Amino acid sequence: MTTTTAPAAGAVAPRQHAPVRRPSLLRLTAVELRKLVDTRAGRWLLITIGLITAVIVTLQLIYARDAEQTFVNFFTPSLLPIGVLLPVLGILSITSEWSQRTALTTYALVPRRERVVVAKLIAVVLTSLASVLASLAVAAAGTLVASATGGAGTWQIDASLILNAVILQVTGVLMGAAFGLLLLNPPLAIVGYLLLPTLWGVLGEVVRPLRGPSEWLDTSKTMEPLFSSDAVTGEQWGRMAVSLLVWMVLPLAAGLVRTLRREVS
Amino acid sequence: MITVQNLTKRYGPHPAVDDVSFQCEPGTVTGFLGPNGAGKSTTMRMICGLTAPTAGRATVSGHAYRELPNPGREVGVLLDASAQHAGRTGREALTLSAYTMGLDRREVAAKLDLVGLNAVAAKRRVRAYSLGMRQRLGLAQALLGDPRVLILDEPANGLDPEGIFWMRGLLRDFADRGGTVLLSSHLLREVEAVADRLVVIGGGRIVAQGNKDELLAGGGTLVRARDGAALRRALDAAGLTAADSPDGLLVQADAEAVGQAAADAGVALAELRPADGGGLEQLFLTLTAGESTKEAVR
Ligand SMILES: Nc1ncnc2c1ncn2[C@@H]1O[C@H](COP(=O)(O)OP(=O)(O)O)[C@@H](O)[C@H]1O
Ligand SMILES: [Mg+2]
């Protein structure tokens, strides 16, 4: 398997090179994007996200009533399952460095760890934006097919709906990343992410005094208005902001501190 | 150039590294020697900014590691060959590093070639690599940015004898061209052949450091004669202290002085040579015996 070669003369000579520059954030982001797709697990997660969109639209073309085969109806149903998978991508992007122990190499090459973390956050946000584009593209394809096969094929969509979809997916992937940063362990972070915010919902149902806070803290409730066709009200935005502060901003901040301090071994 | 000043690391009350200071000069290979759990890896992690020291500081080429703008171009690091993503191919692992450092992609192929990982091996996932292949991959990664300093933690682990011989040549060559090498091992024999200097650590403390030849020569001279009693009288007369050893008498003096003493007394010698490994080997055995009970978990 391995062949032993005598070191070629000069090949390991410590060269004097031009003053070296630190890697730009753009470069680090490109590296992190590449890490999302260069393993089987990452590739399959992304392929699954794409497949879900395609499968949902196909099923609708087959089973939905003709009048319901509209662009909006093709677009919205895929948001939810993708919204579950994207945070997992965010979690794995952060935690696999620790579970696979590549943090040793990553942080030896970029000892300013916060730059790596920021590059990872940019990379997963770009991915979630791409997922919305993919949802839009597949919905468009579905609409074209629908109008050719007797479906409604209506194109009309509110810009706010697209904006809501972007908010949903971007906050979801960031929430996942935040849990990854804080817990630094893939299974723990995934379970924590899926369980903790939902736990509020359950507690809110069961424990009467918690019902009030749960309206503000259960992300599955606070994010709900994003799916509806009605305009989101000021209070609804407020609840969303509070729940995101608790489940996204705070874990991001605490997780960043933990990641910066943690011993890499 | 690596400078370590009073580095200390405590995990709980237990100091893993205790006030460690040493320097590695350009053009030299420094062997960092100590039994398992002595604190070698912890010291190296602190040098590389991966573990925050409790006290003390370390610099590489005059800068704290974290202040190096693009560390991979200045210092090649191999701390744990197993710390690779099992699902990436060897080539992909190097490509990520090359891209991070801003290197030409051709460097990846060149370094894979240099460490003897052929095209087939490079395309396989690291999961399928033997420890020896992972060490080679790790070495390729360390050499990727053409650094002037190398920091290698137990790089000989998992290499076959031929691989170890090859690596020695590579490190010797690197140092002879002005590079600085710090490599650790828990086996004296492993670093003895390549190191110029030795830093010996036990229980987190430096117990000996200096030129390899001086440290190894510290063992004194071994001398043997058919008439052992006459030899001992001769040495006594010359004021040299001699101790019994299975191979003859162990004298704390150089061979010339011992030979002269024997000649002056007219004693015929059967053997006269520097005691091998000597003091260092003895010291190392003592360390290992003392430490083996708290064999490192990591
Ligand atoms: N992260 C850690 N937490 C607690 N103890 C540690 C940690 N890392 C190392 N140690 C302890 O510090 C001591 C030195 O370990 P190490 O530096 O790995 O030694 P070596 O590399 O010489 O075998 C050991 O007793 C080890 O158990
Ligand atoms: Mg070690």
Side-chain angles (χ1 to χ4, degrees):
Chain A
M1 197 69 272
T2 54
T3 51
T4 306
T5 44
V12 294
R15 290 177 209 161
Q16 294 291 339
H17 25 67
V20 287
R21 279 180 301 141
R22 69 175 193 177
S24 68
L25 204 53
L26 189 69
R27 178 178 289 286
L28 294 181
T29 306
V31 170
E32 293 306 328
L33 280 171
R34 187 178 172 119
K35 286 186 190 170
L36 291 179
V37 294
D38 73 354
T39 62
R40 256 182 224 160
R43 240 185 340 254
W44 273 109
L45 199 56
L46 290 173
I47 290 174
T48 309
I49 289 176
L51 282 180
I52 285 179
T53 328
V55 166
I56 286 180
V57 170
T58 311
L59 288 177
Q60 278 179 305
L61 280 172
I62 300 172
Y63 295 110
R65 277 182 290 142
D66 285 350
E68 283 170 2
Q69 298 193 359
T70 65
F71 186 73
V72 171
N73 283 350
F74 285 131
F75 175 62
T76 38
S78 65
L79 295 178
L80 202 62
I82 294 177
V84 174
L85 288 182
L86 278 176
V88 174
L89 186 85
I91 288 172
L92 291 182
S93 156
I94 304 270
T95 55
S96 72
E97 295 272 358
W98 301 98
S99 60
Q100 295 283 342
R101 304 189 56 218
T102 44
L104 212 53
T105 308
T106 303
Y107 294 132
L109 289 181
V110 187
R112 296 289 170 100
R113 298 182 198 174
E114 66 278 6
R115 304 189 78 231
V116 175
V117 172
V118 169
K120 278 183 187 297
L121 295 182
I122 296 176
V124 294
V125 165
L126 287 177
T127 310
S128 66
L129 291 178
S131 89
V132 176
L133 284 181
S135 293
L136 286 171
V138 176
T143 314
L144 281 179
V145 175
S147 43
T149 58
T154 321
W155 286 96
Q156 194 193 345
I157 184 170
D158 280 341
S160 65
L161 196 59
I162 300 178
L163 180 71
N164 289 356
V166 167
I167 294 174
L168 184 79
Q169 305 301 41
V170 168
T171 53
V173 85
L174 283 178
M175 237 190 291
F179 271 76
L181 275 178
L182 190 61
L183 300 174
L184 298 174
N185 166 298
L188 204 62
I190 291 176
V191 170
Y193 166 78
L194 293 176
L195 221 58
L196 283 183
T198 323
L199 208 61
W200 272 109
V202 179
L203 282 178
E205 293 301 321
V206 180
V207 187
R208 194 164 281 278
L210 283 182
R211 187 158 298 173
S214 129
E215 299 284 314
W216 293 79
L217 292 176
D218 177 4
T219 47
S220 64
K221 276 206 193 107
T222 60
M223 307 290 277
E224 216 166 20
L226 291 178
F227 292 104
S228 92
S229 42
D230 304 328
V232 183
T233 69
E235 190 188 334
Q236 286 171 330
W237 283 123
R239 287 175 191 215
M240 221 180 291
V242 170
S243 66
L244 288 177
L245 181 72
V246 171
W247 298 113
M248 187 179 90
V249 179
L250 290 184
L252 266 180
L256 184 63
V257 171
R258 180 157 187 224
T259 302
L260 295 189
R261 292 205 182 145
R262 191 184 201 199
E263 165 163 42
V264 187
S265 63
Chain B
M1 170 93 143
I2 303 170
T3 309
V4 172
Q5 292 169 322
N6 310 103
L7 271 186
T8 298
K9 179 70 187 179
R10 252 178 255 286
Y11 293 109
H14 164 72
V17 174
D18 194 358
D19 198 25
V20 162
S21 303
F22 60 86
Q23 238 182 47
C24 308
E25 305 286 345
T28 64
V29 176
T30 303
F32 194 24
L33 206 56
N36 286 325
K40 305 181 294 295
S41 300
T42 305
T43 304
M44 288 173 138
R45 283 202 309 273
M46 286 194 282
I47 296 174
C48 299
L50 297 168
T51 291
T54 308
R57 54 186 248 113
T59 60
V60 178
S61 305
H63 301 275
Y65 192 95
R66 284 178 197 238
E67 308 303 326
L68 294 170
N70 195 347
R73 306 295 303 277
E74 187 64 43
V75 43
V77 175
L78 170 55
L79 293 184
D80 188 340
S82 315
Q84 288 285 359
H85 198 301
R88 290 199 182 110
T89 64
R91 169 171 299 138
E92 177 62 19
L94 289 198
T95 303
L96 286 173
S97 296
Y99 200 60
T100 306
M101 285 185 254
L103 300 174
D104 194 302
R105 290 277 292 274
R106 273 172 303 187
E107 292 294 325
V108 172
K111 293 305 186 293
L112 283 168
D113 199 44
L114 175 70
V115 301
L117 287 174
N118 61 26
V120 182
K123 277 189 214 138
R124 284 218 267 156
R125 291 178 198 278
V126 174
R127 177 179 294 123
Y129 278 30
S130 66
L131 182 55
M133 288 167 77
R134 287 176 196 218
Q135 291 287 12
R136 285 173 190 264
L137 182 64
L139 212 54
Q141 191 140 26
L143 293 168
L144 196 57
D146 290 313
R148 290 185 290 181
V149 179
L150 283 178
I151 297 178
L152 313 172
D153 195 4
E154 307 255 6
N157 270 3
L159 286 179
D160 51 22
E162 187 200 17
I164 293 178
F165 182 78
W166 159 81
M167 191 188 61
R168 279 182 196 146
L170 186 123
L171 297 183
R172 190 66 261 165
D173 190 53
F174 183 88
D176 288 347
R177 289 164 194 278
T180 309
V181 181
L182 174 64
L183 94 153
S184 77
S185 175
H186 62 284
L187 298 172
L188 174 59
R189 291 282 167 247
E190 218 167 71
V191 290
E192 198 184 345
V194 62
D196 308 296
R197 285 178 47 83
L198 293 174
V199 175
V200 186
I201 185 171
R205 293 177 154 275
I206 302 262
V207 291
Q209 67 171 310
N211 213 300
K212 177 187 70 180
D213 295 331
E214 286 166 13
L215 283 176
L216 289 178
T221 303
L222 191 84
V223 61
R224 194 162 57 81
R226 187 172 294 164
D227 188 349
L231 177 61
R232 184 175 282 279
R233 277 196 302 279
L235 293 171
D236 283 346
L240 300 173
T241 38
D244 281 315
S245 95
D247 300 333
L249 292 175
L250 196 57
V251 190
Q252 295 303 322
D254 59 18
E256 195 182 329
V258 176
Q260 190 61 53
D264 290 348
V267 178
L269 293 184
E271 190 175 5
L272 177 67
R273 61 178 169 89
D276 32 33
L280 191 61
E281 180 127 49
Q282 201 54 49
L283 170 69
F284 201 62
L285 280 175
T286 325
L287 276 180
T288 316
E291 297 297 319
S292 61
T293 41
K294 39 176 173 168
E295 181 90 353
V297 198
R298 27 178 72 235

